[in-house]
Amino acid sequence: MTKDTFSIGIDYGTESGRAVVIRVRDGMEAGAAIVSYADGVIDERLPGGPRLEHDWALQNPRDYLSVVEKAVPKALKAAGVRGDRVIGLGTDFTASSPMPTLRDGTPLCFLKQFRKNPHAWVKLWKHHAAQPEANRITQAGTERNEEFVRIYGGKYSSEWFFSKLLQILNESPETYAAAERFIESADWIVWQLTGAEKRSACTAAYKAMWIKGKGFPCTDFFRALDPRFENVIEEKVGEKFFRLGSCAGGLSPYWAEKTGLPAGIAVSVGNVDAHVSVPAVTVTRPGTLVMIMGTSICHILLGEDRRTVEGMCGTVEDGVVPGFWGYEAGQSAVGDIFAWFFEQGVPGATEREARRNKMALHSFLETRAAGLGPGESGLLALDWWNGNRSILVDADLTGLILGLRLNSRPEEVFRALIEATAFGTRQIIEAFEARGISVKDLAACGGLPEKNKLLMQIYADVTGREIHIAPQPLTCPALGSAMHGAVAAGRARGGYDSIFEAAERMASLKRSIYRPKPQNSAIYDGLFKEYQTLHDYFGRGSNDVMKRLKKIAQREVSCQ
Amino acid sequence: MTKDTFSIGIDYGTESGRAVVIRVRDGMEAGAAIVSYADGVIDERLPGGPRLEHDWALQNPRDYLSVVEKAVPKALKAAGVRGDRVIGLGTDFTASSPMPTLRDGTPLCFLKQFRKNPHAWVKLWKHHAAQPEANRITQAGTERNEEFVRIYGGKYSSEWFFSKLLQILNESPETYAAAERFIESADWIVWQLTGAEKRSACTAAYKAMWIKGKGFPCTDFFRALDPRFENVIEEKVGEKFFRLGSCAGGLSPYWAEKTGLPAGIAVSVGNVDAHVSVPAVTVTRPGTLVMIMGTSICHILLGEDRRTVEGMCGTVEDGVVPGFWGYEAGQSAVGDIFAWFFEQGVPGATEREARRNKMALHSFLETRAAGLGPGESGLLALDWWNGNRSILVDADLTGLILGLRLNSRPEEVFRALIEATAFGTRQIIEAFEARGISVKDLAACGGLPEKNKLLMQIYADVTGREIHIAPQPLTCPALGSAMHGAVAAGRARGGYDSIFEAAERMASLKRSIYRPKPQNSAIYDGLFKEYQTLHDYFGRGSNDVMKRLKKIAQREVSCQ
């Protein structure tokens, strides 16, 4: 064992960061540690600062640093691995989560004069207050026939880089002016670790309109959005991006000392949590849709060529693994909907019943929901509690439950919510297949698959496809990051020369799989048709009631 | 005081019966008592018998008798009134709540051989399992151009007399055959008290197709429904009905002894809880819509002439007070929706917060909801948890909540549910006004108005009309019954000769009223348009998803 080498992966999630120590020769997880962000998701009030409006979601970059400082030494200790056995380090992040910084990388929110300005903080991926800016970008891009519009399936999302930058320009021009750099948190953390601002081609291509071999839209486009925005690329972003798995630089002496790792070991360029998970579940070829299932779901599929699929988050050459087109789609809220339900919708009586049965509330309700057949509740929901990310790409859509009766019970609502999210995934699969990009089976990782067997069976039944689960579904992104760390190191330094090699040696899938039950699938086929009708009625302009209600609500709040 | 005479009113509600002792000269309530039904609403399992299907709701007639036996003596005692000061007794009931009996009035469910047969019990008004039969009746009535179809606004309800009888014939022909009489509970209790089967013209006209001066549809119609149904009127119902306020007979010696009342005092023919409330809130003329607000809402409006209003429950000459046409409309679930929400939808955390604030959960959530402005929640609901009774007249419609977001809170859902029921009332008002039957203001009684100030203000804001509240809104039907008891006795025996006289002397309204706030009404006008769009989309055939889901759910349950 003493001759073994290891790679470190750090996965930055929505609520916490996780470091894992992975054995390079076989992907064995030797140790892991999680550190929660002290400020978490900032969506109600800035720490010591003003109340935030609806749809805001910020983070504190200091929390990202403390993950490196605390989780890496803890993971090494848990693994019983000495720092000098580690040859590389990779990171992955939520995206798009940009922040404004000074030229040296100091986040504006670290400066006293900006601390109480919400626009100086990280705008987390699920910050949805830039929908007007996203609409404006889509409109301008469509009018000018910009290529990014096709790449992003027809719409630019409010969750993405330039929507968030443009919101800063609109609402806080002084923050915009003071920002010397706008940078993805994914790239910022790599900059901190290595001292070099080397940005990833992945986030640039999926979130910021950058195209391999072509670069950004020209300054005319940005001027069309706002004259002050004309030179945003040259002045505050830059045009150099590095491919996934390439080495961003060596670990700085400062961080070597803080973590106990050797200075100078390879740090790979930043990656995205979803994308990095794909090779970690062994997928390096087309045909298997990877679902990263947590608070939201991110879907990644590899394709042989470029096709325009409705409402994709992005279609990027080499965007996930080299040589293939990486298609990304997603659902803005999945685990988040269940969390909402358990917090805001499960009655006290059910809590007490679970306690009497000596069961955790979640297991209790899952058992009850599992006792129901498909369609038995008579309920149908639209899973848009946090808008719709793929197909409709509209943050202003909202959730719906239909079929409620005086005898509707919490477990029925719970099951309907699970089913709704499964229908959302099926809608995405059908969009792929409508363009001839086949989805043969599914591979799942993330926080949900291990916790919720009923959910996985419902996804298999609703999609009519087998689902393979990663052996440690929660640590897939961290494993993927460690794999990219090993690739950044290269074979010469004890790692691998390509992600294909790394995937073959370091990644695996569980033998246990979920298989669709034909009698359930048959009922779900019917229910899915109903879902589609509602999806199109409320989502494609027949009745924009959700948007109108949201507008009224915003006006009412702002009037008070 | 010793010379004062009194009248007793007994109001049979959904969960309990209430007796009041009312002073005849001025309507003062001297005493009251409530007795809960031991078996309550039987909607899950027959006492000691089989599990019931979805949409069933039964009652045990024994519970009705124990109200007389227990509540009347208690109310007299509370009033400090001797039985011999009482000159009359009136009753009112939920309707249509029919039961099968022997020729002597014995309910079939009292017989050992029928005890475990659900069809032998009272089918409570909110028993909704006879929708197929209701559809069949509407279809046959429409094809044959039967007058009742126009009287009932185009549809015969699953809640009504012949739907329920036909369900018995279809599902339990042996019960149908054994039933020598089918009778409204409203008439059955009068039969018990007087020994004479004297049925009320009110229930017959509003629920059973009977028309003053014309009688029932002919036997051809009933044969068209089912050959075995041809002679249902002659064999099991009868054709004599008595007007409201008329004397059904004297109190029998048996019940005189049980209650402490004098034998032979006037017992008025049976009345309906909603209808009897109208003169009790001083309304004996057109222009004021009376809302009886409890588990459901019943709306009653008087008109000068007969007009066809969409989806009315009924339009009956002399149906409420003599000389006017009584229009009845309603919403199948109102308080029931809130009860469902408090039982099935308010999270444990909110319960604990209410306790920390030392407030009852309902008051706590009402206070929170009252802190929101109209439209602020971004939520909109359709109030069809128990189907739609008026306008659409369809028990197979179900409830909907739209606009849900990750930050939606229980008080927002609660407010949206209240608003939805108010929109339902406005829909009914607009249907009246569309036919030129004006609604100038509203008068409210029942269980909800006193408990829930926010609800009343929202109703005023949503309808844009003033609402007057009865001084003792809960006891309106009982007061109305006592008024009818006094009319049954007549002036010669210390009562009154007409309900107009009785209303002038015995009824009153509170000075406190709810007035619409123009700024709220303006927002609600916009939200009501959204409600109407959804109402028509889901209710008028554009998308029958609710019905299809219900069918699937019923099939799934029955397959297990």
Side-chain angles (χ1 to χ4, degrees):
Chain A
M1 180 105 172
T2 48
K3 276 186 190 161
D4 282 336
T5 57
F6 295 84
S7 180
I8 299 237
I10 307 179
D11 164 41
Y12 285 94
T14 298
E15 305 279 352
S16 60
R18 168 193 310 265
V20 295
V21 181
I22 302 290
R23 187 159 64 191
V24 171
R25 71 171 161 90
D26 62 357
M28 185 270 291
E29 184 180 308
I34 301 181
V35 170
S36 290
Y37 303 150
D39 285 332
V41 176
I42 303 165
D43 55 4
E44 296 202 336
R45 188 180 285 284
L46 268 196
R51 205 174 157 72
L52 300 174
E53 287 179 45
H54 267 319
D55 286 336
W56 278 63
L58 308 178
Q59 280 196 325
N60 184 349
R62 211 174 293 280
D63 286 338
Y64 305 151
L65 297 176
S66 69
V67 169
V68 185
E69 196 173 336
K70 293 179 187 160
V72 171
K74 249 174 110 175
L76 283 169
K77 200 175 163 193
V81 165
R82 288 208 334 258
D84 61 10
R85 302 310 306 159
V86 176
I87 59 153
L89 184 156
T91 58
D92 64 87
F93 231 101
T94 67
S96 171
S97 301
M99 70 178 97
T101 72
L102 299 179
R103 195 171 312 278
D104 66 358
T106 307
L108 289 195
C109 63
F110 285 5
L111 306 178
K112 201 174 166 200
Q113 67 270 35
F114 279 102
R115 216 161 48 201
K116 295 198 172 169
N117 181 335
H119 283 290
W121 296 60
V122 175
K123 286 198 162 58
L124 188 61
W125 65 272
K126 66 175 171 176
H127 175 90
H128 281 154
Q131 187 64 49
E133 286 79 6
N135 295 346
R136 176 74 196 103
I137 290 172
T138 298
Q139 186 200 3
T142 308
E143 282 166 11
R144 297 173 47 89
N145 196 25
E146 296 284 349
E147 194 170 352
F148 77 84
V149 177
R150 285 185 298 283
I151 285 173
Y152 296 148
K155 281 191 189 171
Y156 193 76
S157 165
S158 74
E159 292 184 358
W160 294 345
F161 195 70
F162 289 116
S163 302
K164 286 167 171 166
L165 266 55
L166 199 53
Q167 191 197 5
I168 297 177
L169 178 63
N170 283 338
E171 297 179 10
S172 180
E174 68 286 3
T175 309
Y176 185 83
E180 292 169 338
R181 312 301 288 159
F182 285 108
I183 188 163
E184 285 286 349
S185 296
D187 294 323
W188 181 80
I189 193 71
V190 170
W191 187 358
Q192 299 306 300
L193 294 177
T194 62
E197 183 193 348
K198 284 202 164 181
R199 301 186 182 213
S200 154
C202 177
T203 41
Y206 276 103
K207 312 294 176 190
M209 306 177 187
W210 182 82
I211 299 169
K212 184 184 161 189
K214 299 183 181 174
F216 288 104
C218 67
T219 51
D220 287 0
F221 168 71
F222 291 102
R223 192 176 56 235
L225 295 175
D226 191 306
R228 297 166 296 173
F229 213 47
E230 177 174 4
N231 296 310
V232 62
I233 301 299
E234 190 191 334
E235 291 170 7
K236 298 169 195 274
V237 177
E239 303 216 48
K240 273 202 90 174
F241 297 95
F242 298 84
R243 66 176 170 74
L244 292 180
S246 63
C247 183
L251 187 69
S252 73
Y254 173 85
W255 282 106
E257 204 198 308
K258 284 267 184 199
T259 55
L261 295 172
I265 58 163
V267 176
S268 66
V269 299
N271 208 328
V272 178
D273 47 6
H275 299 233
V276 81
S277 299
V278 175
V281 293
T282 76
V283 173
T284 54
R285 299 272 180 274
T288 301
L289 181 75
V290 178
M291 302 192 288
I292 300 91
M293 307 177 78
T295 52
S296 64
I297 292 186
C298 187
H299 303 83
I300 308 233
L301 184 65
L302 299 177
E304 305 279 356
D305 48 16
R306 174 176 153 191
R307 301 184 187 198
T308 302
V309 181
E310 187 194 11
M312 284 301 102
C313 306
T315 312
V316 172
E317 193 179 356
D318 304 339
V320 180
V321 300
F324 292 102
W325 288 79
Y327 290 87
E328 183 190 340
Q331 291 171 263
S332 329
V334 178
D336 265 356
I337 298 181
F338 310 142
W340 170 85
F341 178 63
F342 277 87
E343 224 170 90
Q344 306 290 355
V346 177
T350 307
E351 290 182 9
R352 290 186 287 277
E353 224 179 323
R355 264 203 300 278
R356 273 199 302 278
N357 284 276
K358 298 195 194 332
M359 288 175 81
L361 182 59
H362 189 280
S363 315
F364 178 72
L365 220 50
E366 187 187 339
T367 307
R368 286 275 179 96
L372 300 165
E376 187 182 328
S377 70
L379 297 173
L380 183 62
L382 285 176
D383 53 319
W384 299 341
W385 265 247
N386 197 15
N388 175 291
R389 192 190 293 161
S390 277
I391 311 304
L392 302 170
V393 196
D394 195 332
D396 285 337
L397 296 174
T398 52
L400 172 151
I401 305 175
L402 179 151
L404 291 158
R405 290 182 284 181
L406 292 176
N407 55 6
S408 295
R409 298 186 309 276
E411 60 268 28
E412 294 180 324
V413 177
F414 182 39
R415 188 171 175 120
L417 295 178
I418 294 174
E419 290 168 345
T421 65
F423 293 141
T425 285
R426 177 158 170 187
Q427 188 83 4
I428 288 167
I429 291 173
E430 301 218 339
F432 279 121
E433 298 225 311
R435 295 296 177 174
I437 309 169
S438 120
V439 175
K440 294 199 184 71
D441 55 11
L442 311 175
C445 61
L448 288 180
E450 215 164 43
K451 273 195 287 192
N452 200 323
K453 289 202 165 74
L454 171 65
L455 176 125
M456 297 314 299
Q457 186 58 52
I458 288 176
Y459 272 63
D461 291 342
V462 165
T463 63
R465 286 165 174 84
E466 289 184 352
I467 310 180
H468 302 256
I469 311 288
Q472 304 202 45
L474 257 176
T475 57
C476 270
L479 168 63
S481 283
M483 287 164 62
H484 281 83
V487 174
R491 188 170 297 176
R493 291 196 273 175
Y496 296 105
D497 278 345
S498 79
I499 194 67
F500 298 101
E501 275 177 39
E504 228 162 83
R505 307 294 293 272
M506 298 174 79
S508 63
L509 280 176
K510 263 191 189 172
R511 295 177 68 90
S512 79
I513 56 179
Y514 291 89
R515 289 191 178 83
K517 298 177 182 165
Q519 73 280 20
N520 289 358
S521 293
I523 298 165
Y524 280 132
D525 284 348
L527 293 176
F528 179 63
K529 281 207 191 85
E530 304 290 354
Y531 174 93
Q532 283 185 303
T533 304
L534 294 175
H535 175 280
D536 290 353
Y537 177 71
F538 288 109
R540 296 196 196 274
S542 301
N543 184 351
D544 280 336
V545 54
M546 291 166 178
K547 297 176 188 203
R548 289 190 296 268
L549 289 175
K550 206 164 175 184
K551 257 189 202 148
I552 294 170
Q554 278 158 352
R555 197 179 60 213
E556 289 317 301
V557 168
S558 64
C559 288
Q560 288 188 339
Chain B
M1 179 101 173
T2 48
K3 278 186 189 165
D4 283 336
T5 57
F6 295 84
S7 180
I8 299 239
I10 307 179
D11 165 41
Y12 285 94
T14 299
E15 306 279 353
S16 60
R18 170 193 308 264
V20 295
V21 181
I22 302 289
R23 187 160 62 190
V24 171
R25 69 170 161 90
D26 62 357
M28 187 270 292
E29 183 180 308
I34 301 180
V35 169
S36 290
Y37 303 151
D39 285 333
V41 177
I42 303 166
D43 55 4
E44 295 201 336
R45 187 179 286 286
L46 267 194
R51 202 172 161 73
L52 299 175
E53 286 180 45
H54 267 314
D55 286 335
W56 277 64
L58 306 179
Q59 281 195 323
N60 184 349
R62 210 173 294 279
D63 287 337
Y64 305 151
L65 297 176
S66 70
V67 169
V68 186
E69 194 172 340
K70 294 178 187 161
V72 171
K74 247 172 113 177
L76 283 170
K77 198 173 164 197
V81 165
R82 289 209 333 258
D84 61 9
R85 304 307 308 155
V86 175
I87 59 155
L89 184 155
T91 57
D92 64 88
F93 231 99
T94 67
S96 173
S97 301
M99 69 177 99
T101 72
L102 298 179
R103 197 170 311 278
D104 67 358
T106 307
L108 288 196
C109 63
F110 287 5
L111 307 177
K112 201 173 165 203
Q113 68 270 36
F114 279 102
R115 216 161 48 199
K116 295 198 172 171
N117 182 337
H119 283 290
W121 297 60
V122 175
K123 288 198 163 55
L124 188 60
W125 64 272
K126 67 176 172 175
H127 174 90
H128 281 153
Q131 188 63 50
E133 285 79 6
N135 296 346
R136 176 75 196 103
I137 290 171
T138 298
Q139 189 201 359
T142 308
E143 281 165 12
R144 298 173 46 89
N145 197 25
E146 295 285 349
E147 194 170 352
F148 77 83
V149 177
R150 284 185 298 285
I151 286 173
Y152 296 147
K155 282 191 187 171
Y156 193 76
S157 166
S158 74
E159 292 184 359
W160 295 345
F161 194 71
F162 289 115
S163 302
K164 286 167 171 167
L165 265 56
L166 199 52
Q167 191 196 4
I168 297 176
L169 178 63
N170 284 337
E171 298 180 10
S172 180
E174 68 287 4
T175 309
Y176 185 84
E180 292 169 337
R181 312 300 289 158
F182 284 108
I183 189 163
E184 284 287 349
S185 296
D187 294 322
W188 180 81
I189 194 71
V190 171
W191 187 0
Q192 299 307 301
L193 294 176
T194 62
E197 183 194 347
K198 284 203 164 182
R199 301 185 183 214
S200 155
C202 177
T203 42
Y206 277 103
K207 315 292 178 190
M209 306 177 187
W210 182 82
I211 299 170
K212 184 183 162 188
K214 301 184 180 173
F216 287 105
C218 66
T219 52
D220 287 359
F221 168 72
F222 292 102
R223 192 177 55 237
L225 296 175
D226 191 305
R228 298 167 295 173
F229 213 48
E230 178 173 3
N231 297 310
V232 60
I233 301 299
E234 191 191 334
E235 290 170 8
K236 299 170 194 277
V237 177
E239 304 215 48
K240 272 201 91 173
F241 298 94
F242 298 84
R243 66 176 170 74
L244 293 181
S246 62
C247 185
L251 187 68
S252 73
Y254 174 85
W255 281 107
E257 202 198 312
K258 283 269 182 196
T259 56
L261 296 172
I265 59 164
V267 176
S268 66
V269 298
N271 207 327
V272 177
D273 47 6
H275 298 232
V276 82
S277 299
V278 175
V281 295
T282 76
V283 173
T284 54
R285 298 275 179 273
T288 300
L289 181 74
V290 178
M291 302 191 288
I292 299 90
M293 308 177 79
T295 52
S296 63
I297 293 185
C298 187
H299 303 83
I300 307 230
L301 184 65
L302 298 178
E304 306 280 357
D305 47 17
R306 171 174 155 195
R307 303 186 185 198
T308 301
V309 182
E310 187 193 11
M312 283 304 101
C313 306
T315 311
V316 172
E317 194 179 354
D318 304 338
V320 181
V321 300
F324 293 102
W325 289 79
Y327 290 86
E328 183 190 341
Q331 292 171 261
S332 330
V334 177
D336 265 356
I337 299 182
F338 311 142
W340 170 86
F341 177 63
F342 277 87
E343 223 170 273
Q344 305 290 355
V346 176
T350 306
E351 289 181 8
R352 288 186 287 277
E353 224 179 321
R355 265 203 301 278
R356 272 199 302 278
N357 285 276
K358 299 192 193 333
M359 288 175 81
L361 183 59
H362 189 280
S363 315
F364 179 71
L365 220 52
E366 187 187 341
T367 307
R368 284 276 179 96
L372 299 166
E376 187 182 328
S377 70
L379 297 172
L380 183 62
L382 285 177
D383 52 319
W384 298 342
W385 263 248
N386 197 15
N388 174 292
R389 192 190 294 161
S390 276
I391 313 304
L392 302 171
V393 196
D394 195 331
D396 285 337
L397 296 174
T398 53
L400 171 151
I401 305 177
L402 178 152
L404 291 159
R405 290 182 285 180
L406 293 175
N407 56 6
S408 295
R409 299 186 308 278
E411 61 268 28
E412 294 180 323
V413 177
F414 182 39
R415 187 171 176 120
L417 296 177
I418 294 175
E419 290 169 345
T421 65
F423 292 142
T425 285
R426 177 157 170 187
Q427 189 83 4
I428 288 166
I429 291 174
E430 302 219 337
F432 280 121
E433 299 225 310
R435 295 295 176 176
I437 308 169
S438 122
V439 176
K440 293 197 184 72
D441 54 12
L442 312 175
C445 62
L448 286 180
E450 216 165 43
K451 272 196 286 190
N452 200 324
K453 291 201 163 75
L454 171 66
L455 176 124
M456 296 315 298
Q457 186 59 51
I458 289 176
Y459 272 63
D461 292 342
V462 165
T463 62
R465 285 165 173 84
E466 289 184 354
I467 310 181
H468 302 255
I469 311 288
Q472 303 202 46
L474 257 175
T475 56
C476 271
L479 168 62
S481 283
M483 287 163 63
H484 282 84
V487 173
R491 189 170 296 176
R493 291 198 273 175
Y496 297 103
D497 279 345
S498 79
I499 194 68
F500 299 100
E501 274 176 40
E504 226 162 83
R505 306 292 293 271
M506 297 174 78
S508 63
L509 279 176
K510 261 190 190 173
R511 295 175 67 89
S512 79
I513 56 178
Y514 291 89
R515 290 192 176 83
K517 297 177 183 165
Q519 72 279 19
N520 289 358
S521 292
I523 298 165
Y524 281 132
D525 283 349
L527 293 176
F528 179 63
K529 281 209 191 83
E530 303 291 354
Y531 174 92
Q532 283 185 303
T533 305
L534 294 175
H535 175 280
D536 290 354
Y537 176 70
F538 288 109
R540 295 197 195 274
S542 302
N543 184 351
D544 279 337
V545 53
M546 292 167 177
K547 298 176 188 202
R548 289 190 295 268
L549 289 175
K550 207 165 174 183
K551 256 188 203 148
I552 293 171
Q554 278 157 352
R555 198 180 60 213
E556 288 318 301
V557 169
S558 63
C559 288
Q560 288 186 338

